[in-house]
Structure formats: structure tokens, C-alpha cells
Amino acid sequence: MASGIYAPCPELCFVQVANNLDLHELVKVGNALCGTFFIDPKARNGLGKRRPLTSVRRIGAFIGRNPGILGAKPARRALGLMVDGAASPPEVFLAMALGLPYRFGGYQLPGIAANRRIKPSSKARAIAHRSTLVPDILCESSRLDIEYDSNTEHASAVQLTRDAQKRLALEADGYKVITVTARQIGSQGGNAENRRAVATAHGHPAEAPKRRIPPAAACPLPHGLVA
């Protein structure tokens, strides 16, 4: 940064905080580091867009090269629950909650992906009027898509139309689409409602969590890690 001043790379930063955070907080931090946004108080929705600071693969490679470094063990544990490509703090929270094991209050869904571009069928393309679709949070093994409906990003008539077309196109290709609002992920009652909906779509009973994940509104992202 300057003469005599040093800053850790994002991969080292993740390993350094690993010893001081619970698993769900560490996964959330990792998802933010691998996400495509930063906190921007001047923006209308409080977010800016950027290239990811790192990736799940790069963090894994760093741990592999430094297996004895302090924090490597909890960091490696969190790595398998993290995703690349989250575009907002709510998506960071949703990806974390969907992938965490039941005993940590999560949904324990395998293969979670954030904003992964998929190729729809010809029927779905005709509905969506686009050649590719980008589900917010996708669980391909369960054909499940979680869409985050923010108060600001989905306000215009044009955006509402595009969202509806996207949802109908995904449903035409056999995906179950669940829309989650800011109010739902900001409350324990809303999280319980989401759990029941996801469990139904996943074909499993809505297991009572062994622990509760704090609602997204109660556990904001560390500002310095995403700005």
C-alpha cells in the first residue's frame, strides 16, 4: 500500500478472521469476499458492483499452500459451505442459510450456487424473451430457485415484468421458484416460513433447527470486508 505499510490478501484475511467467528458468520464473510458487490452509502440501494475480491477456489488453494497457518482448520470447514457470485448482503445470507447443516440452523441443501447463468429450454426462452437465465440462489439437485425481492431493485414496472417472465420461464423448465422478501429474511417468523417452503420444494420435512441463525437484519456484514 505504501512504504512500510502492508495489508493481507483477501485469502489471508479470511483465514485470519476464521478463529474469531462462528461458522455461520464465517461463511457469510466468505460469501461477501467472493461476491460481486460492495457497500456504497451514496448509491440508491446502498450497494455498488465490483469484481469479486477472491473466490472459493482461490481461498482453497491458499489454505492448501499454508495448511499449518492459524485459522486454516475453521476456514477449511467453512469453505465447503461458501458460494461465489452473491450480488447483495441478502443473497449472502440466503446462500449461507440454505447450505448450512441442520445442526447449525440451516437448510442443508447441496450444491448451492449464486447467480449462475443457465441455458433454458426453447419454451422457457420464448417466455423469458432472453437466451439465458440467472437465478439468484439455485439448488440444481432439487430444481429449486430462491429469488430475493428487494424493495428498491424490483420497484419499476419493467423490472416487475422481467421478474415475472423469469419466474414463469424457470417454472416451465421444472424449477420451483420461491420469492423471499426483505421483511421475511429480517425476522425469525419469516425465516420459519421460508424453511417450510424450501422443505416442501426439497421433498423433506421442515426439520426444527438445532440452533437459530440470527435474521439477516440482526447480523450485518462487516463493512471493512466488503467496501
Side-chain angles (χ1 to χ4, degrees):
M1 296 179 66
S3 178
I5 300 176
Y6 301 90
C9 64
E11 298 78 25
L12 176 58
C13 180
F14 179 74
V15 175
Q16 287 178 327
V17 302
N19 272 330
N20 301 314
L21 297 177
D22 290 339
L23 180 62
H24 74 273
E25 288 286 354
L26 184 57
V27 172
K28 191 172 63 171
V29 167
N31 287 349
L33 286 172
C34 299
T36 60
F37 68 94
F38 66 94
I39 305 300
D40 183 1
K42 297 180 181 179
R44 182 169 60 91
N45 66 346
L47 299 176
K49 292 185 180 297
R50 60 156 167 78
R51 291 183 178 180
L53 298 177
T54 185
S55 68
V56 175
R57 182 187 61 79
R58 286 171 60 185
I59 294 174
F62 178 85
I63 296 172
R65 293 193 301 270
N66 303 276
I69 193 172
L70 185 65
K73 185 176 180 179
R76 188 181 296 109
R77 183 185 187 191
L79 199 63
L81 301 169
M82 288 162 42
V83 300
D84 295 316
S88 67
E91 289 187 9
V92 162
F93 176 83
L94 287 169
M96 178 269 296
L98 289 169
L100 276 182
Y102 292 130
R103 66 182 183 277
F104 291 105
Y107 299 78
Q108 199 168 312
L109 297 183
I112 299 296
N115 297 295
R116 177 181 294 171
R117 192 172 298 276
I118 61 174
K119 293 184 178 180
S121 65
S122 56
K123 178 181 179 181
R125 287 197 299 271
I127 294 172
H129 301 290
R130 63 196 98 162
S131 59
T132 60
L133 296 170
V134 184
D136 286 354
I137 306 293
L138 180 68
C139 180
E140 183 63 51
S141 63
S142 299
R143 306 290 284 180
L144 174 65
D145 168 38
I146 309 294
E147 291 292 312
Y148 173 63
D149 188 6
S150 72
N151 295 326
T152 54
E153 287 298 318
H154 299 258
S156 71
V158 172
Q159 187 61 55
L160 286 171
T161 298
R162 283 182 60 84
D163 288 347
Q165 291 172 337
K166 175 182 172 181
R167 182 175 63 253
L168 291 171
L170 287 165
E171 289 174 345
D173 273 356
Y175 290 93
K176 170 66 176 178
V177 181
I178 298 175
T179 299
V180 176
T181 65
R183 181 179 179 182
Q184 284 177 307
I185 66 172
S187 69
Q188 290 290 2
N191 286 333
E193 181 182 340
N194 296 336
R195 177 178 295 280
R196 289 190 293 271
V198 169
T200 300
H202 192 51
H204 292 287
E207 255 191 64
K210 303 296 186 296
R211 296 171 58 186
R212 283 188 173 185
I213 299 173
C219 50
L221 292 168
H223 179 80
L225 290 178
V226 295

